[in-house]
Amino acid sequence: MIDSVTVTITPKPLTIVKNVTPRKDYDGTTEAQVEIGEGNKVETGISGETITAKITQSAYHSPDVGAGNYITITYSLSAGEPDTDLGNYSVDGKAITSGAAVTERVSTVGDTAVGIDPAEITVAIEDQEKTYDGSAPEIVEPV
């Protein structure tokens, strides 16, 4: 006869489905474009239980062009239905609680590395003339 049995129930891992724009042209800011799916709902796979995710911050690690950049996304999670117990779920191996902030680091989207591309610049040069008189030329700025 069995005297006792120990049962361990682990939180169900969740994936927050989102649309991340991995690259942008340099604009001097760390602002990143990230959106969560329809209604900010996170699918739990359990009937009658939903979780709502709200992005509280999304930013590139650096505002500069260069390799090694990534986007940090911070979510606030809450129960979407009264019977949803957030303690039954985890994100990236960490159990979640009501109002919990979950942070995720994204360095690739599909096969595309996250990063900031150099901004294009346009230079307009106008013809200028000067007859030699021994002095340095005066630079005239375009109007």
Side-chain angles (χ1 to χ4, degrees), residues 14 20 58 85 92 124:
L14 295 178
V20 178
S58 60
D85 180 355
D92 292 333

Side-chain angles (χ1 to χ4, degrees), residues 64-119:
D64 299 323
V65 173
N69 213 339
Y70 55 86
I71 297 173
T72 301
I73 308 166
T74 303
Y75 310 92
S76 173
L77 302 174
S78 59
E81 303 289 332
D83 290 338
T84 303
D85 180 355
L86 292 178
N88 291 330
Y89 300 96
S90 67
V91 175
D92 292 333
K94 299 172 192 155
I96 55 178
T97 59
S98 185
V102 175
T103 301
E104 176 182 15
R105 183 170 152 169
V106 177
S107 55
T108 58
V109 176
D111 294 334
T112 305
V114 166
I116 298 176
D117 299 317

Side-chain angles (χ1 to χ4, degrees), residues 106-131:
V106 177
S107 55
T108 58
V109 176
D111 294 334
T112 305
V114 166
I116 298 176
D117 299 317
E120 260 188 50
I121 61 169
T122 304
V123 178
I125 301 175
E126 296 180 10
D127 291 336
Q128 298 180 21
E129 293 183 21
K130 174 177 173 37
T131 303

